[in-house]
Amino acid sequence: MSSPELVPGLAGIPAAESSVSFIDGQKGVLEYRGYPIEELSEHSTYEEVAWLVLYGELPTADELAAFTADLGRLRVPPPALVEMVKAFPRTGHPMQALQASIAGLGMVCPKVDLNDAASKDAAARRVIAVTPVLVALFERVRAGQEYVEPRADVTTAANFLWCLDGVEPAEIAVKTLDCAMILHAEHTMNASTFACRVVASTENDPYTSCSSAVGALFGPLHGGANERVLKQLSTIDGVDTVQGWFDEKIAKKAKVMGFGHRVYKTKDPRAKNLQTLAIQLFEELGSTPKYDVALKLEEVVTAKLGDRGIYPNVDFFSGLVYEKLGLQIDVFTPLFAMARVSGYCAHWLEQLEDNKLFRPAQIYVGQRERKYVPISER
Ligand code: ACO
């Protein structure tokens, strides 16, 4: 039998059948369970979207109220986990802390019975509820501040900002973060979701599966690009220098962060929505010169690379939004992760429904049948 051909990065190779989300990369379409992202970001809330992504339908008012209350109740991290996060080195990256703390959540929570729908559901809800609190907790720890207990009476976005600062957040900040979380909640078979499903396929709980996914999301080619976009914008002196900066990058064959996508060959619909969010925020709180640089960069990059399908992706405008909200640059990727756990959990549940252990093949290119040489003869 001839060996199958290698497809680098498994580009275009289906890894599962899924009904969680849909992308048309040519047209720039993204739907969660069939609902366009534009409609959800305009009319929905993160809690409603998390329910939709998990269970496939929009919730009734009663279902949403019960789910929101459940997330509020479940968001209190067990005391042992709080102590664990307090002991993390403050110099660690917040994504490393998040990966470790979601794994740690599994150490202090009841064992998940994968044959029991209620047990799986409770575990998924716990991950979605606790993750934002864990992000905020590590922010407090590394700033040398006291842990702020989560509140059950507010939304996920409001509670996150509350846990971060210990003060009532501004309405615009809550609204913006809620919308950004909707836009980041799910995104088909990307690297981190695939990592989640691979780990789930070994019959693992959502704590281990989601912490593995967070590890994959950390990388600069994936979720880690958002913090690099802002650093990149900071290194460009002004609108007039964008073209020269870009020409230098291209001459060095370097990548421009926040552009390009494996699936989208047009502007990422989430980038469009985040740009709108940024504009709304700037109208309220004042603009930033980095936004003008970003607009020029988009013009310059797409003029040169647009015919190769390279356009702004989700990470291009999110950093500008988060910076305006006063968030630390290295917490941008954890913000992505704390929204995406709902997508990960939906994929975890879906993977377990009809599980087959992931065990791909390889194309062996090494040597064979070599004779062992004793160390004295080498
Ligand atoms: N800037 C400049 N050139 C680019 C960029 C970019 N951002 N993206 C792709 N290219 C070029 C590559 O240099 C390559 O050129 P070549 O054929 O001459 O060697 C070609 O386009 C194909 O690039 P690949 O990296 O092989 O394409 P892939 O489909 O794997 O790209 C990826 C997807 C990894 C996201 C890429 O566009 C990239 O590295 N972008 C920058 C990082 C980034 O913004 N990541 C966030 C993605 S969104 C997310 O994960 C949440």
Side-chain angles (χ1 to χ4, degrees):
M1 199 174 83
S2 66
S3 309
E5 236 178 76
L6 177 70
V7 179
L10 299 181
I13 305 291
E17 287 187 340
S18 178
S19 61
V20 185
S21 61
F22 168 82
I23 298 177
D24 181 330
Q26 299 298 331
K27 294 190 182 141
V29 170
L30 169 61
E31 294 170 359
Y32 298 164
R33 301 284 189 182
Y35 292 95
I37 188 72
E38 292 78 9
E39 289 205 21
L40 293 170
S41 60
E42 193 181 339
H43 302 296
S44 194
T45 61
Y46 177 70
E47 285 74 18
E48 187 175 59
V49 163
W51 173 286
L52 172 69
V53 165
L54 278 180
Y55 308 119
E57 297 295 336
L58 287 170
T60 63
D62 286 350
E63 284 169 338
L64 182 59
F67 183 63
T68 304
D70 216 20
L71 294 184
R73 185 179 58 79
L74 289 167
R75 67 171 62 117
V76 181
L81 182 58
V82 174
E83 292 312 310
M84 203 186 303
V85 177
K86 282 183 181 171
F88 285 167
R90 292 181 187 187
T91 48
H93 191 285
M95 279 298 273
Q96 294 169 319
L98 185 61
Q99 184 178 11
S101 51
I102 295 178
L105 182 62
M107 296 168 78
V108 293
C109 285
K111 189 171 160 37
V112 185
D113 180 352
L114 298 188
N115 296 312
D116 179 56
S119 172
K120 286 191 293 185
D121 196 40
R125 289 182 183 205
R126 187 175 289 113
V127 172
I128 294 167
V130 178
T131 300
V133 178
L134 295 174
V135 174
L137 170 58
F138 186 66
E139 284 308 286
R140 302 282 302 179
V141 167
R142 67 181 184 146
Q145 295 169 320
E146 286 298 310
Y147 165 52
V148 177
E149 296 258 357
R151 291 167 54 177
D153 62 333
V154 292
T155 64
T156 303
N159 179 65
F160 170 74
L161 294 168
W162 162 258
C163 289
L164 202 59
D165 296 329
V167 293
E168 204 68 50
E171 204 183 315
I172 176 102
V174 174
K175 194 168 161 272
T176 305
L177 184 61
D178 187 70
C179 191
M181 289 185 74
I182 291 173
L183 295 169
H184 285 90
E186 159 59 11
H187 206 242
T188 76
M189 197 62 67
N190 52 77
S192 55
T193 300
F194 182 49
C196 176
R197 289 190 75 130
V198 169
V199 177
S201 83
T202 67
E203 295 193 347
N204 232 318
D205 61 34
Y207 312 114
T208 317
S209 305
C210 288
S211 65
S212 305
V214 167
L217 186 68
F218 185 22
L221 293 188
H222 193 10
N226 59 9
E227 68 172 81
R228 283 164 179 83
V229 170
L230 207 69
K231 286 180 186 154
Q232 174 181 272
L233 293 175
S234 311
T235 63
I236 305 175
D237 287 335
V239 171
D240 296 344
T241 61
V242 170
Q243 185 70 56
W245 178 92
F246 172 71
D247 292 343
E248 238 177 76
K249 278 259 163 194
I250 290 300
K252 288 187 203 151
K253 296 200 175 306
K255 282 182 171 168
V256 186
M257 290 290 131
F259 288 86
H261 196 275
R262 178 65 61 75
V263 183
Y264 294 119
K265 299 304 163 200
T266 181
K267 189 165 175 174
D268 185 329
R270 300 165 299 171
K272 287 188 194 162
N273 278 268
L274 281 157
Q275 185 171 8
T276 307
L277 268 189
I279 293 166
Q280 287 165 357
L281 208 54
F282 297 154
E283 276 167 9
E284 191 110 351
L285 305 176
S287 192
T288 155
K290 286 196 199 100
Y291 181 59
D292 301 321
V293 171
L295 288 182
K296 183 69 186 171
L297 189 58
E298 177 178 357
E299 184 193 311
V300 165
V301 173
T302 53
K304 174 86 177 170
L305 303 174
D307 60 350
R308 298 175 62 189
I310 296 171
Y311 288 91
N313 59 45
V314 65
D315 289 330
F316 191 57
F317 291 108
S318 62
L320 289 168
V321 170
Y322 299 146
E323 186 190 49
K324 203 69 203 169
L325 292 180
L327 298 160
Q328 295 291 323
I329 194 165
D330 58 0
V331 89
F332 295 174
T333 319
L335 291 174
F336 187 150
M338 73 188 205
R340 183 56 61 83
V341 284
S342 49
Y344 295 152
C345 286
H347 281 273
W348 173 73
L349 287 166
E350 194 178 60
Q351 179 65 36
L352 291 174
E353 260 169 37
D354 184 21
N355 189 39
K356 171 101 176 156
L357 174 72
F358 275 103
R359 204 317 182 181
Q362 63 167 15
I363 295 173
Y364 182 65
V365 295
Q367 301 180 52
R368 297 243 10 247
E369 297 182 355
R370 302 172 82 188
K371 184 119 184 72
Y372 181 79
V373 182
I375 199 161
S376 57
E377 293 170 26
R378 283 177 231 158

